[in-house]
C-alpha cells in the first residue's frame, strides 16, 4: 500500500533531523528503518535528502511510503464487507459474529483478513493485515485495520497507552444488584488450557472492567462496558465471576436458549486519527440476534 505524507515544518521543528522529527509524529525506529529502504523516501521541496538532513522552518517535507508486499498465508477470498469508514490510512469494519479476524488452522479461508486481502487485490493494491483491536470470532462489531506501517504503529501505541477508546454492549443473565460499577479481579489461564481463562487472585494479571446497565428485558440485562485493561476474554470472565455471565457463551455459559454465540458487541470506538489527528468516532448498532433479546434501539 502506497501513501504520501506531507508535513509543513513549523518553527518548533527548526533544526530537527528528519528522523527525529518523524519520531515526534509517531513513527517508530522500525518504521524509519523500513522507510530508509524505500525509493524516494524523504523529499524536501522536490529534492531527495537523507534522514539526517536538518529541517528548516518553512520546509515542505514529503514522506513516500511504498509497500509492495502482501501478507503471506492470507489467500484472498471474496466476501461481503460492512465498511463503516475508509481513507488512505485506516479502514473501519463492522464485523459480523462468526467471522474470525485472521486465518487459523480451521479457518484458513474464512476470516476478515481473507476478505480484506481480496478487497485490495481487486483494486490492484498490495495488502498487509494489521488489525488494531482484534475481536473474538463470535464477538460482533467495530474493528480498525491500518493500511500502512506508520498508521499501524501509531494505532498500536494508542491502544497500549489507552488512547483508543472502546465501548462494548453485552447481554448478561439476570438483574445486577448495582446499576453501574467496576469489576477489579485478576485473570489467569485455567490449568491445562491454552484458551480458557478464570479469575485467579494468586497468579492472574490485574484486570479492570467498568460497566453500566442500560436496559433490562426477558430476564436479561444489556450492559455498556469500558475496559481499563485488555486481558483475554476479560468481559466474559468478569461477568461470569460476578454471577451474571454473558448468554450464549460456549466457554463460560452454555446457555443457548436465546442466542448461539456470546452476546457481545463492539458498539463504539473513538480515537484520534493516526495521521491527521482528527477526532474519530464510530458506532455500530446492536446486531439483529441481540436485538431479538432486548428491544434496545441502539
Amino acid at each position: 500500500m502506497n501513501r504520501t505524507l506531507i508535513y509543513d515544518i513549523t518553527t518548533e521543528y527548526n533544526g530537527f533531523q528528519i528522523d527525529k522529527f518523524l519520531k515526534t509524529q509517531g513513527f517508530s525506529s522500525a518504521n524509519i528503518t523500513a522507510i530508509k529502504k524505500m525509493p524516494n523516501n524523504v523529499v524536501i521541496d522536490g529534492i531527495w535528502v537523507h534522514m539526517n538532513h536538518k529541517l528548516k522552518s518553512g520546509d515542505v517535507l514529503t514522506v513516500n511510503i511504498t509497500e509492495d508486499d502482501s501478507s503471506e498465508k492470507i489467500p484472498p477470498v471474496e466476501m461481503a464487507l460492512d465498511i463503516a469508514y475508509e481513507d488512505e490510512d485506516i479502514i473501519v469494519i463492522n464485523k459480523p459474529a462468526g467471522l474470525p479476524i485472521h486465518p487459523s488452522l480451521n479457518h484458513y479461508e474464512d476470516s476478515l483478513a481473507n476478505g480484506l486481502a481480496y478487497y485490495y487485490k481487486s483494486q490492484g493494491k498490495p495488502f498487509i493485515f494489521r488489525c488494531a483491536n482484534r475481536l473474538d470470532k463470535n464477538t460482533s462489531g467495530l474493528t480498525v485495520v491500518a493500511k500502512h506501517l506508520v498508521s499501524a504503529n501509531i494505532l498500536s501505541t494508542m491502544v497500549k497507552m489507552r488512547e483508543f477508546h472502546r465501548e462494548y454492549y453485552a447481554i448478561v443473565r439476570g438483574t445486577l444488584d448495582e446499576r453501574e460499577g467496576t469489576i477489579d479481579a485478576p485473570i489467569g489461564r485455567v490449568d491445562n488450557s491454552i484458551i480458557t481463562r478464570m479469575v485467579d487472585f494468586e497468579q492472574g494479571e490485574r484486570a479492570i472492567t467498568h460497566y453500566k446497565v442500560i436496559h433490562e428485558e426477558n430476564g436479561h440485562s444489556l450492559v455498556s462496558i469500558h475496559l481499563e485493561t485488555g486481558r483475554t476474554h476479560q468481559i466474559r470472565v468478569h461477568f461470569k465471576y460476578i454471577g451474571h455471565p454473558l448468554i450464549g457463551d460456549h466457554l463460560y455459559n452454555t446457555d443457548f436458549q436465546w442466542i448461539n454465540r456470546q452476546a457481545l458487541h463492539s458498539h463504539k470506538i473513538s480515537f484520534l486519527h493516526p495521521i491527521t489527528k482528527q477526532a474519530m468516532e464510530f458506532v455500530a448498532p446492536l446486531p439483529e440476534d441481540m436485538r431479538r433479546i432486548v428491544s434496545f434501539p441502539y
Side-chain angles (χ1 to χ4, degrees), residues 178-196:
E178 302 291 335
R179 298 289 298 182
E180 58 184 292
T182 297
I183 307 168
D184 186 347
I187 292 175
R189 292 181 186 270
V190 171
D191 288 344
N192 303 318
S193 174
I194 62 172
I195 299 174
T196 312

Side-chain angles (χ1 to χ4, degrees), residues 17-200:
Q17 289 186 183
I18 291 175
D19 53 358
K20 302 298 190 296
F21 166 77
L22 293 179
K23 286 188 176 181
T24 71
Q25 304 304 303
F27 289 57
S28 68
S29 296
N31 289 162
I32 292 168
T33 298
I35 291 170
K36 283 180 180 179
K37 301 174 184 177
M38 297 175 185
N40 210 35
N41 44 33
V42 286
V43 174
I44 293 179
D45 300 328
I47 301 172
W48 176 84
V49 293
H50 289 282
M51 280 284 186
N52 61 5
H53 179 90
K54 291 188 177 181
L55 296 165
K56 301 190 303 295
S57 175
D59 281 347
V60 177
L61 172 66
T62 300
V63 180
N64 294 305
I65 301 170
T66 305
E67 294 187 285
D68 297 322
D69 295 332
S70 293
S71 293
E72 297 181 0
K73 301 180 181 178
I74 301 182
V77 178
E78 184 175 9
M79 65 179 66
L81 296 175
D82 185 357
I83 299 174
Y85 175 82
E86 182 179 14
D87 62 23
E88 293 181 285
D89 306 298
I90 61 173
I91 183 167
V92 182
I93 305 289
N94 183 15
K95 184 188 83 67
L99 182 68
I101 285 283
H102 52 78
S104 61
L105 181 62
N106 297 318
H107 297 280
Y108 187 59
E109 296 186 346
D110 62 343
S111 72
L112 176 64
N114 296 114
L116 283 170
Y118 180 90
Y119 176 68
Y120 289 114
K121 183 178 180 180
S122 67
Q123 300 174 48
K125 298 177 180 178
F127 170 72
I128 297 176
F129 185 64
R130 300 176 173 112
C131 187
N133 62 312
R134 301 193 175 204
L135 304 177
D136 290 340
K137 171 189 170 186
N138 287 326
T139 297
S140 58
L142 296 167
T143 187
V144 183
V145 177
K147 293 176 68 173
H148 55 79
L149 75 171
V150 175
S151 58
N153 175 72
I154 295 172
L155 284 171
S156 176
T157 300
M158 290 168 61
V159 170
K160 292 175 184 175
M161 300 300 294
R162 301 176 187 169
E163 296 169 351
F164 185 100
H165 305 290
R166 292 165 277 190
E167 180 185 12
Y168 292 88
Y169 278 174
I171 300 175
V172 303
R173 187 176 65 196
T175 300
L176 281 74
D177 293 334
E178 302 291 335
R179 298 289 298 182
E180 58 184 292
T182 297
I183 307 168
D184 186 347
I187 292 175
R189 292 181 186 270
V190 171
D191 288 344
N192 303 318
S193 174
I194 62 172
I195 299 174
T196 312
R197 302 300 199 267
M198 62 181 287
V199 168
D200 182 347

